[in-house]
Amino acid sequence: MRRVAAAVAALAVLALPATASAVPLQAVAVKAKPPPVNEESASQASGELAWVQNSRLHPHLYDLYAQVNGGARFRVNPANTQAGLGTGIDGTTLVFTQTHGTKESIRLYDLQTRRASGPPTGVNTPNVEDEPSISGSWLLYHRLEQGASPGQQVLLTNLSTGATRVLASVPGQAGFLEAGQVNGDWAVWTQSVNSTRYNVWRYQISTRTSVVVRV
């Protein structure tokens, strides 16, 4: 539930200008009778849709599915893997979290050629990388550090150069970070230093400045 709430807040920050008043959006059902499974971590671009879901037969196993131009859905993650939370689409490129055993890492997938690839060196490490979002050359994601000194980071990597910026970091197990969305010149995330009070932060890529969002 906390992931859904943060994602909604992040999308609202990116979608509305600072001076605009909120206007309720009309909900349109994609499926008249949704199946009795869990469907989450959805993302959409022009003609393309991706989402993570389980099945009635395997309720604890999650796979990533995509659909292009209203065609039949197809599975994205390969056999013997699962899909973690977090997806994003820019153009024909889908970014998602792939789980293999206890390892979670970021993968890229071309929805036209249906070929997977890895991000630049340094994005995936022995730690957990998840909650990805993509816009142009920028990849936003979350890292959960393992070992004796755990911590979390929200990172922004340029897919063309491989350069990475640390947008936020919290030490220890008490803190909380959740990568939200990167869109154009902006990135947002959710942060808490003690897991009791949560704030949405906004970062401008061109100026390298971040501010907490006050509503």
Side-chain angles (χ1 to χ4, degrees), residues 66-192:
Q67 188 179 42
V68 177
N69 295 326
R73 72 169 192 175
F74 55 92
R75 177 173 157 173
V76 173
N77 59 298
N80 301 316
T81 69
Q82 292 191 63
L85 290 178
T87 65
I89 301 175
D90 185 83
T92 63
T93 302
L94 167 67
V95 62
F96 67 100
T97 305
Q98 181 172 293
T99 302
H100 187 198
T102 60
K103 173 62 178 171
E104 294 188 52
S105 56
I106 306 297
R107 298 288 289 169
L108 302 173
Y109 187 87
D110 191 308
L111 291 166
Q112 294 296 327
T113 64
R114 300 195 183 186
R115 293 182 178 179
S117 61
T121 301
V123 171
N124 292 322
T125 70
N127 299 297
V128 171
E129 282 82 28
D130 57 6
E131 301 172 1
S133 173
I134 187 172
S135 180
S137 297
W138 294 103
L139 172 68
L140 181 75
Y141 56 102
H142 166 264
R143 175 176 290 157
L144 175 63
E145 298 171 337
Q146 310 286 351
S149 300
Q152 299 180 59
Q153 296 176 318
V154 169
L155 304 163
L156 185 68
T157 293
N158 189 301
L159 295 172
S160 299
T161 66
T164 296
R165 304 180 190 181
V166 179
L167 304 190
S169 179
V170 294
Q173 298 178 346
F176 172 91
L177 282 175
E178 180 177 73
Q181 182 191 19
V182 57
N183 190 339
D185 195 33
W186 302 92
V188 291
W189 69 91
T190 303
Q191 180 173 339
S192 175

